[in-house]
Amino acid sequence: MTLAAVALWTAAMLVGLQQTASSHDIIVDRSSRNLSSVPRDLPQDVEFLDLSCNHIQQLHRPDFQNTTHLRFLNVSWNLLENIDQETFLDTHALKYLDLSHNRLKNLSGQQYLLYTRYLVMLNLACNEFLNMSLGTEFRSLAKLKRLTVGAKNVRIGDFKNIAPLQLQTLAVSVEDGFRYEAGSLKDVHVEKLQIAVNTKELNYVLTADALSLFDQVELMDLADGYGALSELLHKVHIYTSHLYLTNITIQWFDLTTFVNAVLNTSISQLSSTDVRLCNLPYIETQVAKTSNLRSFTTRRAVVTAFFFAQEAVYNFFINMPVKRLAIEETPIIHMTCPKRESPILQLHFSDCALSDTIFSTVVGPKTLECETLTNVRQLFLMSNNLKSLHLVSKRIQHMKSLQHLNLSLNSLVYDSGEVCLWPAGISNLSLSSNSLTGSVFECLPRGVQTLDLQNNQISVVPSSIVRLQNLSSLNLNANRLRDLPVCNGFPILQELLLKSNSLHAPSVSRLASCPKLNTLDVGHNPFTCTCVLRSFILLGDKSEKKHSQVGVKLLGWPLDYYCTYPEALRDVTLNDISVPLISCNAGILAAAILCPAVVAIISVVFLCHHLDVPWYMGMIWQWTRAKHRARTQQLRPEDLMGVEFHAFVSYSQQDADWVHDALLPNLEGPAGGLRICQHEKNFVAGKTIIENIINCVEKSRRSVFVLSAHFVKSEWCHYELYFASHQRLSRGSDSIVLVLLEPLPQYLIPSKYYQLKSMMARHTYLEWPQDRAKHRLFWANLRAALQSDLPEAPAAEQ
């Protein structure tokens, strides 16, 4: 086995192991360090250890005594000559061991394998084994799946100790001077036999045994001897169904001869990988018209010539009588059309360089479309150089059996208005990773059932499109959609995938146009978590709670759904936020605010009415104003000359009881401290009533009128009011205080009391409350209205 092959195999092992490794695995690389022994500072929890390309000669138990978690060990390309029996006594987890390219000498003496019973892969190739005599210790490797060995001589019985093992792969390395005894491989039970040819000549006895004994055979690193190999295919009874050629160099003549030879055998699958083609043709090469070969695959083929007939090469492959033809990772720019009706059912041209001319032929000014691939059911053209969608549809229009078409990873675009001519039977179409826009819906097969349009530039799905009656699954992941599409053109759509688009607030109402939809994926979109998203969040909650019921199920809910805006909610999953209905519905919000407000206002009004709050407020307001006036409106001393009383009280004789029993006690004496003038006590005998009224009004700072129905009927009360109203011109508007003893409607006041009407309309008056609890505030208010600083009263006459 060559160095490149070993490196490739080792890399493959490492990749496979790392993919299955858990997050706490530790990988230690000490390769190419000029080490002469295993380092002593290895971490105890190391699982992957690479010691390749050093100068280690021996392995001992102490080397790995502390690395009990070791799973992979690569000691290839060293100078190993001896491995102690107990070297791997403590590495019970060891599964992958590479000891290739060393100086081990005896395959029957690998006693250390007795302690590696959990090995899955063992590589002993390219050592100095003289005989392929596998010792009894190989019987302990019950879990072994891949074994790579090599020796100078192989004889019958050499493999008897691995006969009980059910290997997946046995790789035999053929070195210079290799000798093989026919029948030596009869004891081996393996799914696939690999023969790595590290010499110029292929051992045909070994190859004959391989082809007659094993279902899968892989020939690696071949550079010559294809003519003899082609003859061998006709001479032996072939048991092999799948033949692999890997890392080969071959002449075009040898290739076509070999392929035609395989076509005439029972081999059903022929695969080639990493092929170098030499001496390519200038003329057509004939290929067999019938065969048992079902599948031909070539991968990573390159040519070493610059001048050759490309169509001759393409024609050889496309005219092969196989069911499946695959040319992958090969830089071909065109593929021709078969010359006759082709039996091919599957065509794979992935990771090539095919252009829009595929399958077509130019004859003069005309382009002839291919009409001989009518049996193709599956066509894979991923990762090519296809650019025009409608041209591709023309290239394959005659593939009437085509059902599955994959055009992903190209540069396809579609210009609206171009006519597309798809085969009618296409049911599965993949157009992912192209440059398509919303116009692509005008260029789709009518009968498509599964449509993959992910990773394009679609910003909107047109509502007026051709109806895709059979479409059940639509993948629009990684596009530019801003809202959910309507399903007017997809009446039976069941699955809609919209992951990684530009949906800020999906309109759930649009789902009403998708009556059959049961699966929806809108994860990883930039959701705006405001009121507009509330209906979508409710849809997600219902999806999470009703997995078994009919309805739309949101894939990835809730982990793939998180807020992008506002900033305070960034990266919060949608199911962790709350958007109340009341904050999103203007009507409900208004009702929620107005209803309590109205109830509160009514309640306040009711309570105010019930508790007479307006009355109390009015009285407090009047008391405050009175106090304020008492502080700010001070009359000049000369204006108070002759003033002896705080107030002159005018009332009807019928109200005298209330005046004597209530008014005077609360204004005079200790209770009020006011000097009150009243006609019964202060009128001077001998003077006329008019003179007394005028005299009392002039001697009083203010005049208090006790209003009642009796008051407006009293003639003298009218005179008192008349003189007091003239007095207020000199004493100010606050010189008259009205006390309403009982309700006094305006219509009861005679017209001659026009001054009283005017006063009651312009001035606030005090109402006597019937509720005893209010009396105290009434008196305080009245006293505040009458309170003022007066000159000292003259001494009473003796």
Side-chain angles (χ1 to χ4, degrees):
M1 184 179 293
T2 64
L3 176 60
V6 172
L8 182 63
W9 176 80
T10 303
M13 275 201 310
L14 279 171
V15 171
L17 290 173
Q18 291 177 12
Q19 288 177 345
T20 59
S22 58
S23 59
H24 61 273
D25 293 338
I26 293 181
I27 301 175
V28 176
D29 183 3
R30 299 290 178 87
S31 62
S32 302
R33 303 290 180 89
N34 289 322
L35 299 174
S36 58
S37 62
V38 177
R40 299 298 182 184
D41 60 345
L42 297 175
Q44 293 187 359
D45 53 353
V46 61
E47 296 189 19
F48 301 91
L49 177 60
D50 188 356
L51 297 172
S52 62
C53 302
N54 283 293
H55 306 292
I56 301 173
Q57 294 182 334
Q58 293 186 344
L59 296 179
H60 310 280
R61 179 183 178 186
D63 293 338
F64 306 106
Q65 193 168 14
N66 297 323
T67 57
T68 56
H69 298 286
L70 192 63
R71 296 172 56 193
F72 169 83
L73 176 62
N74 183 4
V75 201
S76 64
W77 295 93
N78 276 273
L79 304 175
L80 275 178
E81 295 180 354
N82 182 49
I83 302 177
D84 288 352
Q85 179 175 347
E86 296 183 350
T87 296
F88 302 111
L89 180 64
D90 302 301
T91 56
H92 303 293
L94 189 62
K95 293 185 177 181
Y96 305 89
L97 179 60
D98 189 348
L99 299 172
S100 63
H101 294 87
N102 279 287
R103 296 179 180 179
L104 300 175
K105 300 183 182 303
N106 188 1
L107 266 175
S108 62
Q110 309 300 309
Q111 297 298 313
Y112 57 87
L113 294 178
L114 294 172
Y115 301 102
T116 59
R117 62 183 63 188
Y118 295 104
L119 274 184
V120 174
M121 188 177 297
L122 174 63
N123 189 353
L124 292 169
C126 300
N127 277 279
E128 297 180 359
F129 300 126
L130 182 62
N131 298 310
M132 191 76 76
S133 300
L134 302 183
T136 56
E137 58 272 13
F138 282 87
R139 292 187 177 184
S140 64
L141 305 178
K143 297 184 179 298
L144 192 65
K145 297 301 178 185
R146 178 184 175 91
L147 174 62
T148 303
V149 292
K152 295 288 186 179
N153 301 295
V154 180
R155 295 173 295 186
I156 294 177
D158 284 350
F159 294 100
K160 63 181 180 180
N161 286 320
I162 64 170
L165 306 182
Q166 298 297 320
L167 297 174
Q168 293 179 353
T169 303
L170 173 63
V172 178
S173 178
V174 178
E175 308 290 341
D176 289 331
F178 179 81
R179 290 187 295 273
Y180 176 82
E181 183 179 359
S184 298
L185 290 171
K186 288 184 178 180
D187 294 327
V188 177
H189 297 90
V190 64
E191 297 178 10
K192 183 177 183 179
L193 177 68
Q194 288 182 332
I195 302 175
V197 182
N198 297 320
T199 65
K200 295 182 179 180
E201 297 182 1
L202 178 66
N203 189 294
Y204 298 106
V205 179
L206 171 62
T207 306
D209 266 7
L211 294 173
S212 61
L213 293 174
F214 303 105
D215 181 62
Q216 300 181 46
V217 175
E218 181 175 2
L219 302 177
M220 305 171 63
D221 307 321
L222 279 176
D224 200 359
Y226 293 102
L229 179 60
S230 298
E231 293 180 5
L232 183 65
L233 293 174
H234 298 290
K235 294 180 180 179
V236 300
H237 173 73
I238 295 180
Y239 177 78
T240 300
S241 66
H242 199 155
L243 178 60
Y244 300 87
L245 300 176
T246 302
N247 193 32
I248 66 171
T249 301
I250 190 169
Q251 306 284 333
W252 176 256
F253 176 79
D254 291 337
L255 173 65
T256 55
T257 302
F258 176 74
V259 169
N260 279 318
V262 172
L263 292 174
N264 291 315
T265 66
S266 61
I267 295 175
S268 61
Q269 298 182 65
L270 176 61
S271 300
S272 59
T273 304
D274 297 314
V275 181
R276 289 179 296 278
L277 287 172
C278 306
N279 296 331
L280 275 78
Y282 290 93
I283 60 174
E284 294 286 337
T285 304
Q286 297 299 317
V287 62
K289 296 181 179 180
T290 60
S291 75
N292 294 318
L293 189 67
R294 297 184 58 83
S295 174
F296 175 84
T297 301
T298 185
R299 184 178 291 108
R300 294 191 296 275
V302 297
V303 299
T304 60
F306 291 99
F307 301 102
F308 60 93
Q310 291 189 30
E311 288 195 4
V313 176
Y314 302 148
N315 283 336
F316 180 82
F317 292 111
I318 198 65
N319 284 290
M320 291 177 62
V322 295
K323 301 296 183 182
R324 181 184 184 274
L325 174 64
I327 301 178
E328 301 174 344
E329 301 178 53
T330 301
I332 57 175
I333 61 174
H334 182 66
M335 180 51 62
T336 56
C337 180
K339 296 181 178 180
R340 54 186 174 274
E341 192 78 14
S342 174
I344 296 176
L345 302 179
Q346 295 183 27
L347 274 175
H348 293 252
F349 298 114
S350 303
D351 296 286
C352 297
L354 293 170
S355 67
D356 295 339
T357 62
I358 185 173
F359 304 131
S360 65
T361 304
V362 178
V363 179
K366 294 184 178 180
T367 300
L368 303 180
E369 306 298 345
C370 184
E371 299 183 10
T372 55
L373 290 170
T374 55
N375 292 313
V376 174
R377 298 176 183 175
Q378 297 181 348
L379 176 60
F380 298 87
L381 297 173
M382 300 90 73
S383 192
N384 280 282
N385 195 28
L386 304 175
K387 295 183 178 180
S388 175
L389 186 60
H390 92 276
L391 284 180
V392 173
S393 73
K394 292 176 64 177
R395 300 291 97 94
I396 66 174
Q397 61 179 302
H398 298 295
M399 297 183 184
K400 60 183 181 182
S401 301
L402 188 62
Q403 299 175 359
H404 184 104
L405 175 61
N406 194 326
L407 298 172
S408 60
L409 294 165
N410 280 279
S411 302
L412 289 170
V413 296
Y414 173 71
D415 295 327
S416 183
E418 299 286 355
V419 178
C420 297
L421 304 171
W422 298 105
I426 296 179
S427 60
N428 191 313
L429 176 60
S430 176
L431 294 169
S432 64
S433 300
N434 281 283
S435 302
L436 299 166
T437 62
S439 62
V440 68
F441 288 93
E442 302 173 15
C443 179
L444 293 174
R446 299 289 183 89
V448 65
Q449 299 176 11
T450 302
L451 178 60
D452 186 354
L453 285 168
Q454 65 177 316
N455 195 24
N456 277 282
Q457 300 177 19
I458 300 171
S459 59
V460 64
V461 177
S463 56
S464 57
I465 59 177
V466 177
R467 289 175 66 84
L468 303 177
Q469 299 285 354
N470 300 323
L471 186 64
S472 61
S473 176
L474 176 58
N475 187 342
L476 289 170
N477 290 339
N479 275 276
R480 301 177 180 179
L481 292 169
R482 294 184 176 275
D483 205 347
L484 298 176
V486 294
C487 301
N488 295 339
F490 325 125
I492 66 167
L493 188 67
Q494 299 177 16
E495 181 182 58
L496 179 59
L497 308 179
L498 299 169
K499 184 184 295 184
S500 300
N501 274 270
S502 300
L503 282 75
H504 296 276
S507 301
V508 177
S509 59
R510 293 193 172 196
L511 297 179
S513 65
C514 311
K516 302 292 184 179
L517 189 67
N518 54 45
T519 301
L520 177 65
D521 190 351
V522 200
H524 299 289
N525 274 278
F527 294 108
T528 299
C529 294
T530 58
C531 288
V532 292
L533 198 65
R534 186 176 185 277
S535 57
F536 182 77
I537 296 175
L538 292 177
L539 176 67
D541 292 339
K542 292 179 181 179
S543 171
E544 186 177 22
K545 296 175 182 178
K546 300 181 178 180
H547 290 301
S548 61
Q549 298 185 10
V550 178
V552 178
K553 177 182 179 181
L554 280 182
L555 296 182
W557 179 272
L559 298 181
D560 294 344
Y561 299 78
Y562 43 84
C563 301
T564 301
Y565 179 86
E567 192 65 29
L569 296 176
R570 180 178 288 274
D571 296 332
V572 178
T573 55
L574 300 192
N575 69 326
D576 289 334
I577 66 172
S578 176
V579 185
L581 176 62
I582 188 173
S583 65
C584 299
N585 188 303
I588 297 178
L589 181 61
I593 295 175
L594 292 177
C595 289
V598 170
V599 171
I601 291 172
I602 294 175
S603 301
V604 169
V605 171
F606 173 79
L607 290 174
C608 288
H609 177 74
H610 181 72
L611 301 175
D612 281 338
V613 172
W615 185 88
Y616 281 104
M617 296 301 295
M619 295 298 288
I620 293 173
W621 172 245
Q622 292 187 39
W623 180 85
T624 304
R625 289 185 62 190
K627 287 293 185 180
H628 178 71
R629 285 195 301 268
R631 288 194 303 269
T632 60
Q633 296 181 3
Q634 296 293 335
L635 294 179
R636 294 174 299 176
E638 56 269 25
D639 293 333
L640 295 178
M641 292 293 295
V643 176
E644 302 176 6
F645 303 99
H646 289 92
F648 167 67
V649 179
S650 175
Y651 55 92
S652 172
Q653 194 62 36
Q654 280 79 2
D655 300 322
D657 293 340
W658 179 83
V659 171
H660 293 294
D661 297 339
L663 178 64
L664 295 178
N666 282 281
L667 296 182
E668 293 181 324
L674 301 177
R675 299 197 295 271
I676 302 300
C677 178
Q678 54 173 319
H679 64 269
E680 294 180 350
K681 183 174 66 173
N682 297 103
F683 274 15
V684 178
K687 292 184 178 181
T688 63
I689 295 177
I690 297 299
E691 289 177 335
N692 278 309
I693 292 174
I694 294 173
N695 188 45
C696 286
V697 169
E698 289 179 347
K699 291 182 179 182
S700 300
R701 171 69 180 85
R702 293 178 178 85
S703 298
V704 177
F705 294 91
V706 180
L707 304 179
S708 65
H710 304 295
F711 181 90
V712 297
K713 296 178 182 179
S714 172
E715 190 69 24
W716 297 114
C717 288
H718 171 68
Y719 286 118
E720 293 173 349
L721 180 63
Y722 174 77
F723 291 119
S725 62
H726 284 280
Q727 184 68 20
R728 70 174 182 158
L729 295 177
S730 60
R731 301 278 173 85
S733 60
D734 63 336
S735 63
I736 294 179
V737 178
L738 303 179
V739 176
L740 191 61
L741 192 60
E742 60 185 11
L744 187 63
Q746 290 281 327
Y747 66 86
L748 292 180
I749 302 175
S751 57
K752 63 181 180 179
Y753 281 90
Y754 66 90
Q755 291 177 322
L756 178 61
K757 290 183 178 181
S758 177
M759 290 180 190
M760 294 183 68
R762 288 180 298 172
H763 296 282
T764 303
Y765 47 82
L766 300 177
E767 296 184 56
W768 171 250
Q770 300 300 318
D771 189 352
R772 294 181 61 87
K774 301 176 181 179
H775 289 177
R776 187 174 181 179
L777 182 58
F778 173 83
W779 296 122
N781 205 348
L782 182 57
R783 283 194 294 267
L786 300 178
Q787 189 68 50
S788 62
D789 295 331
L790 298 181
E792 291 294 332
E797 295 181 359
Q798 299 297 327

